[in-house]
Amino acid sequence: MRMVDLIEKKRDGIALTEGEIRWMIERYVAGEIPDYQMSAFLMAVYFRGMTEEEMVAFTAAMAESGETVDLTEVPGVKVDKHSTGGVGDTVTLILVPLMGAAGYVVAKLSGRALGHTGGTIDKFESIPGVHTDLSPREIIDQAKRIGVVIAEHTQDVAPADKLLYELRDVTGTVPSLPLIVGSVLSKKIAGGADLIVLDVKCGDGAFMQSFPEAKGLAESLVRVGNELGKRFSALVTAMDQPLGRMAGNALEVRQAIEVLRGGGPEDLREVTLALGAELLLLAGEEGDEVTARRKLVRLLDEGVAWEKFLELVAAQGGDTQCVEDPARLPRAREVVEVRAPRAGYVRRLSARQVGVAAGLLGAGREVKGQEVDPAAGVELLAKVGDAVDEGAVLARLHLGERARPEEARRLVAGAFEIGDEPLTPGKLILARVR
Amino acid sequence: MRMVDLIEKKRDGIALTEGEIRWMIERYVAGEIPDYQMSAFLMAVYFRGMTEEEMVAFTAAMAESGETVDLTEVPGVKVDKHSTGGVGDTVTLILVPLMGAAGYVVAKLSGRALGHTGGTIDKFESIPGVHTDLSPREIIDQAKRIGVVIAEHTQDVAPADKLLYELRDVTGTVPSLPLIVGSVLSKKIAGGADLIVLDVKCGDGAFMQSFPEAKGLAESLVRVGNELGKRFSALVTAMDQPLGRMAGNALEVRQAIEVLRGGGPEDLREVTLALGAELLLLAGEEGDEVTARRKLVRLLDEGVAWEKFLELVAAQGGDTQCVEDPARLPRAREVVEVRAPRAGYVRRLSARQVGVAAGLLGAGREVKGQEVDPAAGVELLAKVGDAVDEGAVLARLHLGERARPEEARRLVAGAFEIGDEPLTPGKLILARVR
């Protein structure tokens, strides 16, 4: 078999066999297929796509390209979630302890911020003392002990995905449905859970900006995922404005704490409950969605999820006093306000611009390996549908050490569109795909 | 400027500017753009194509990426030719001395065999003593002295083309019109001639297998070439069956000698005269095509072209006794015959299969750098339209040192299709593009 023949086959629109795909991924991870051939292949996939059979083989080959987290020795039902990335999306920090409180095992592997979207690992690590670099052994032991783990994705799990993602990033081949499907699912398949819920974000601040694209991705993810012997479900959720009122690491931890204590912004709580209920139904719990949500609401309101969160923070070395008293979390030395230029109703609030602004304030990284500032970010005081007076504070910018406040200010000010007509915010859960 | 942005632009079907293309080629030749980005770009070009303005900029940037052969100090009109490659295409060995005999300067840079097509340099070097590794200085001096040169294309001339061609060869991006145009023309532009005729081969043994494809390539070549300040003309010529009756290095030299002495196969002579006449017309010689051909026929029939060939061979160190007496050219130790399985008319003779067979006998190379066997090749005793008896010799296989005669025999036998109905061979010159 020669790689050039597989490139030409794909280029000419002919589906590759499972054996060909497996050979290609194995040889690539072994360093025997050069990047210049793989990038030509990826661009051919961009134009030609993949059949569902090819996606299944591609995902399986990537999932099997390195270590897998084997949770079989952990008793209980193992669940997992994944979001395609948005702004203010701190659902994982809430859903992991919530599902733990409901009696499920969640060994969540997460990534770091890149581009305008945050990363769960950066957020979790903004709690002083928390470490996330756990070995597979440590993950399994903690899962056995307390049922919940949030660990950094290492390159030992699905290394093919890591290599391919880095190559796609510099070769214009990121926005390709089959490549996204392979990337998302390979990590979930290697992650060891049985039931997985996917949150496919849709809108201005998401990777998929239109509903048909997002729905199509959700459908492919669920179909291919189910083919691979796990049970998947997906929600398509709105990401036109940020979720919640915070974009930034410690800021989002504060927000997660509010929800875990039974409060917090309604939209963040809503998405968390919808994803959690979906997992309970996937697990075959009795009753319908209403029953499932009621159970989760009780776990939030009665403090069971909160107790599980404290356990999780403590297990990973975190200072629980800082979460008991969020005022002790990292705080910016300087805060700048963005005010409304006129009275009216917020008609639009660009998630993408807020995300980019949070990055400019220090919450994100422009290149891999850069440090993020845990205190930096954007706090939103108004969201879509809110009435505002002229001069009212729309947002507070929390300046990190290397913040570029002027650019960030312009972006956040421009992210708000204020009009005369009142507006009801659109639906949050746009579709469910099972 | 970032290469990834140029890749995405091309991927999305947006034309690149001249500045962007120039930047890309310069940085690539300097080793600052990695192959994995260039190959993704090339695949995007495969799917999206290039505008004529892009092709002009791309060709110019490649032509200027290294040394150019500056023939300004050589008096006279400088002409050149290029063939897109076929089987038995030994036209260059005839046309160079013929144009020299007509008073033109021809400093021809040529390549070596790869794949199923031969290379002029390998053919010329099958004459004992001939060397072709001339420096630009030596090329200019010989052009001044005798008007004709056949030298190997070094990587100093249009190095971008050499780098890109090697990358295209292993990334499935060879068959792309704009990339072919850039590759062909950049070498001609850097080659120093003023008037250039292109032989775009069409058919089973050529790169372009259909007439519309070949015609389209010829048109793009001429349009883009003329934009670059040289005068180009192109013929589309048939390559369904091999040209002449030989495929192999010394075998094709023998064939060229026959034509240079006023004889030889009609089709080979015809294509040579058509290309030569086109050059005379490009040069503005008085009269029409008929006049031009008559002049060239006389130069062949009266031995003027032959004398120029002897001069050329001698100037490059070749043993002229071997060309005076072709029996002294390298000869295979063993010859195997392929016979007709039935009586009838030859209705088809696959140039590609004959070319591959010649390679298997030792005339070509499977990987770069391999030695070719000067004596190896295929000699055809019947061509399309010929009547054959059962058991008549259709071809003789001249076995090289590392020949795979059985495979070659099967290929050559299979290359012939013999039927009951007589058949007139198709046209040789399919189109002229000015």
Side-chain angles (χ1 to χ4, degrees):
Chain A
M1 215 176 286
R2 296 190 314 160
M3 182 60 184
V4 64
D5 299 325
L6 303 190
I7 297 171
E8 291 179 4
K9 210 172 161 183
K10 176 51 67 187
R11 180 197 74 194
D12 296 342
I14 303 162
L16 270 58
T17 66
E18 189 194 334
E20 287 168 338
I21 289 173
R22 191 168 291 278
W23 175 89
M24 178 178 74
I25 296 297
E26 281 169 9
R27 291 279 110 37
Y28 181 61
V29 172
E32 291 162 20
I33 289 174
D35 282 339
Y36 57 78
Q37 289 192 310
M38 186 52 83
S39 63
F41 178 80
L42 296 173
M43 187 58 85
V45 170
Y46 176 89
F47 283 99
R48 293 294 197 178
M50 279 189 183
T51 65
E52 199 163 305
E53 289 69 32
E54 283 180 291
M55 286 194 249
V56 168
F58 180 62
T59 304
M62 296 219 292
E64 291 160 21
S65 65
E67 284 182 32
T68 51
V69 182
D70 185 353
L71 298 174
T72 47
E73 61 177 282
V74 185
V77 179
K78 294 94 188 181
V79 301
D80 199 355
K81 67 85 70 168
H82 180 83
S83 157
T84 60
V87 178
D89 180 8
T90 189
V91 167
T92 295
L93 290 183
I94 310 164
L95 191 60
V96 170
L98 179 57
M99 293 307 296
Y104 291 88
V105 176
V106 201
K108 176 82 175 83
L109 299 183
S110 285
R112 294 186 181 273
L114 194 65
H116 74 281
T117 60
T120 295
I121 292 303
D122 290 321
K123 296 173 196 175
F124 197 32
E125 284 185 352
S126 73
I127 301 169
V130 161
H131 60 90
T132 60
D133 53 336
L134 308 181
S135 69
R137 188 66 254 162
E138 290 172 312
I139 291 171
I140 293 166
D141 288 344
Q142 183 175 325
K144 272 179 168 170
R145 219 165 53 245
I146 63 167
V148 285
V149 189
I150 295 178
E152 186 175 6
H153 228 297
T154 68
Q155 46 180 323
D156 302 331
V157 175
D161 175 61
K162 187 180 162 63
L163 292 170
L164 284 180
Y165 195 87
E166 286 177 2
L167 188 60
R168 287 165 59 203
D169 196 39
V170 292
T171 56
T173 49
V174 169
S176 160
L177 187 139
L179 300 181
I180 296 169
V181 167
S183 177
V184 167
L185 292 182
S186 62
K187 288 181 286 198
K188 296 292 115 183
I189 300 294
D194 307 307
L195 313 175
I196 300 128
V197 67
L198 303 171
D199 183 4
V200 177
K201 298 291 187 191
C202 173
D204 156 82
F207 196 69
M208 294 289 166
Q209 307 208 351
S210 79
F211 179 69
E213 279 180 302
K215 181 97 186 298
L217 176 59
E219 287 168 350
S220 289
L221 285 167
V222 169
R223 277 206 309 269
V224 173
N226 288 341
E227 279 287 320
L228 286 161
K230 309 262 178 169
R231 291 201 59 204
F232 279 84
S233 181
L235 300 183
V236 178
T237 69
M239 185 40 71
D240 286 310
Q241 63 172 342
L243 200 58
R245 292 178 173 269
M246 303 288 193
N249 297 296
L251 290 172
E252 290 185 48
V253 169
R254 276 195 231 178
Q255 188 105 95
I257 290 170
E258 286 173 27
V259 178
L260 283 161
R261 285 180 147 171
E266 194 43 51
D267 59 348
L268 177 59
R269 182 177 157 107
E270 168 63 21
V271 171
T272 306
L273 289 173
L275 291 167
E278 200 61 27
L279 279 174
L280 296 189
L281 296 177
L282 265 187
E285 290 211 4
E286 271 180 46
D288 58 6
E289 206 195 324
V290 177
T291 326
R293 289 175 71 105
R294 201 173 294 138
K295 172 173 176 173
L296 296 174
V297 166
R298 207 167 48 237
L299 292 170
L300 284 178
D301 292 348
E302 294 177 358
V304 192
W306 170 242
E307 289 300 325
K308 188 51 80 176
F309 183 66
L310 289 175
E311 244 185 301
L312 171 66
V313 170
Q316 294 189 212
D319 180 352
T320 50
Q321 290 189 307
C322 287
V323 292
E324 296 267 16
D325 176 10
R328 295 166 75 165
L329 285 170
R331 290 180 88 97
R333 266 186 270 171
E334 200 182 341
V335 174
V336 172
E337 290 175 340
V338 177
R339 289 173 181 275
R342 55 165 286 191
Y345 296 91
V346 178
R347 295 189 59 86
R348 213 180 67 89
L349 169 51
S350 162
R352 178 169 296 263
Q353 280 175 250
V354 171
V356 173
L360 290 172
L361 293 169
R365 39 177 72 81
E366 286 167 56
V367 291
K368 280 174 196 170
Q370 214 171 33
E371 284 293 304
V372 300
D373 192 317
V378 179
E379 185 183 350
L380 300 166
L381 282 84
K383 291 192 65 182
V384 172
D386 290 354
V388 292
D389 293 327
E390 187 184 333
V393 179
L394 296 175
R396 291 198 194 101
L397 311 184
H398 296 246
L399 274 51
E401 293 298 328
R402 54 180 173 80
R404 279 140 66 181
E406 252 323 297
E407 280 178 75
R409 213 199 57 75
R410 262 198 305 276
L411 272 167
V412 172
F416 282 90
E417 189 182 306
I418 298 172
D420 293 325
E421 298 296 313
L423 181 86
T424 312
K427 275 186 5 182
L428 207 52
I429 310 298
L430 305 175
R432 167 178 294 113
V433 178
R434 280 176 184 149
Chain B
M1 215 176 285
R2 298 189 316 159
M3 182 61 184
V4 63
D5 298 325
L6 303 190
I7 298 170
E8 291 180 3
K9 210 170 162 184
K10 176 50 66 188
R11 179 197 75 193
D12 296 341
I14 303 163
L16 270 57
T17 66
E18 189 194 335
E20 287 169 338
I21 289 173
R22 191 167 291 279
W23 175 89
M24 178 178 75
I25 296 297
E26 280 170 10
R27 291 279 113 30
Y28 180 60
V29 172
E32 291 161 21
I33 289 173
D35 282 340
Y36 57 78
Q37 288 192 313
M38 186 53 82
S39 63
F41 177 81
L42 296 172
M43 187 58 86
V45 170
Y46 176 89
F47 283 100
R48 292 294 195 179
M50 280 190 186
T51 65
E52 200 163 303
E53 290 69 33
E54 284 180 292
M55 286 193 249
V56 169
F58 180 62
T59 304
M62 295 218 294
E64 293 160 21
S65 65
E67 283 183 33
T68 52
V69 182
D70 185 354
L71 298 175
T72 46
E73 62 178 281
V74 184
V77 178
K78 295 94 189 181
V79 302
D80 199 356
K81 67 85 71 167
H82 180 84
S83 157
T84 60
V87 178
D89 179 8
T90 189
V91 167
T92 295
L93 290 182
I94 311 164
L95 190 61
V96 169
L98 178 56
M99 292 306 297
Y104 291 87
V105 176
V106 202
K108 176 81 175 86
L109 300 183
S110 285
R112 295 186 179 272
L114 194 65
H116 73 281
T117 61
T120 294
I121 293 302
D122 290 322
K123 295 173 195 174
F124 197 32
E125 284 185 351
S126 74
I127 300 169
V130 161
H131 59 90
T132 60
D133 53 336
L134 308 182
S135 68
R137 188 67 254 163
E138 290 171 314
I139 291 171
I140 293 166
D141 288 344
Q142 184 174 323
K144 272 179 168 168
R145 216 164 57 244
I146 64 168
V148 286
V149 189
I150 295 179
E152 185 175 7
H153 228 296
T154 68
Q155 45 180 325
D156 301 332
V157 176
D161 174 61
K162 189 179 161 61
L163 292 171
L164 283 180
Y165 195 86
E166 286 177 3
L167 188 59
R168 287 165 59 203
D169 196 39
V170 293
T171 56
T173 49
V174 169
S176 159
L177 186 138
L179 300 181
I180 296 169
V181 166
S183 177
V184 168
L185 292 183
S186 63
K187 288 180 288 200
K188 295 293 114 183
I189 300 294
D194 308 308
L195 313 175
I196 301 128
V197 68
L198 303 170
D199 183 4
V200 178
K201 299 289 189 194
C202 172
D204 157 83
F207 197 69
M208 293 289 166
Q209 307 208 352
S210 79
F211 178 69
E213 277 179 305
K215 181 98 184 300
L217 176 59
E219 288 168 349
S220 289
L221 285 167
V222 170
R223 275 206 310 268
V224 173
N226 288 343
E227 279 287 321
L228 286 161
K230 309 261 179 171
R231 291 201 57 204
F232 280 85
S233 180
L235 300 183
V236 179
T237 69
M239 186 39 71
D240 286 310
Q241 64 172 342
L243 199 58
R245 292 176 173 270
M246 303 288 195
N249 297 296
L251 291 171
E252 291 185 47
V253 169
R254 277 195 230 179
Q255 189 103 97
I257 290 170
E258 287 172 26
V259 178
L260 283 162
R261 287 180 145 171
E266 196 41 52
D267 58 349
L268 178 58
R269 182 176 156 107
E270 168 63 20
V271 170
T272 305
L273 289 172
L275 291 167
E278 200 60 26
L279 279 174
L280 296 188
L281 296 177
L282 264 187
E285 291 211 4
E286 272 178 45
D288 59 4
E289 205 195 326
V290 177
T291 326
R293 288 175 72 105
R294 202 173 293 137
K295 172 174 178 173
L296 297 174
V297 167
R298 207 166 50 236
L299 293 170
L300 284 178
D301 292 350
E302 294 177 359
V304 193
W306 171 241
E307 289 301 325
K308 188 52 82 178
F309 183 65
L310 290 175
E311 244 185 300
L312 171 66
V313 170
Q316 294 190 211
D319 180 353
T320 50
Q321 291 190 307
C322 286
V323 292
E324 297 268 15
D325 177 11
R328 295 167 75 167
L329 286 169
R331 290 181 86 97
R333 267 184 271 172
E334 200 182 341
V335 173
V336 173
E337 291 175 340
V338 177
R339 290 172 181 275
R342 53 165 289 193
Y345 296 91
V346 177
R347 297 189 57 84
R348 212 179 67 90
L349 169 51
S350 161
R352 178 170 295 265
Q353 279 175 251
V354 171
V356 173
L360 290 172
L361 292 168
R365 37 177 73 80
E366 286 167 57
V367 291
K368 279 174 196 171
Q370 213 171 35
E371 284 293 304
V372 300
D373 192 318
V378 180
E379 185 183 352
L380 301 165
L381 282 83
K383 291 193 64 181
V384 171
D386 291 353
V388 293
D389 294 328
E390 187 183 332
V393 179
L394 295 175
R396 291 198 194 100
L397 311 184
H398 296 247
L399 275 50
E401 294 297 328
R402 53 180 174 81
R404 279 140 67 181
E406 253 320 299
E407 281 177 74
R409 214 199 56 75
R410 262 198 305 276
L411 272 167
V412 173
F416 283 91
E417 190 183 304
I418 298 171
D420 293 325
E421 298 297 314
L423 180 85
T424 312
K427 276 187 1 184
L428 207 52
I429 312 296
L430 304 175
R432 167 178 295 111
V433 178
R434 279 175 185 148

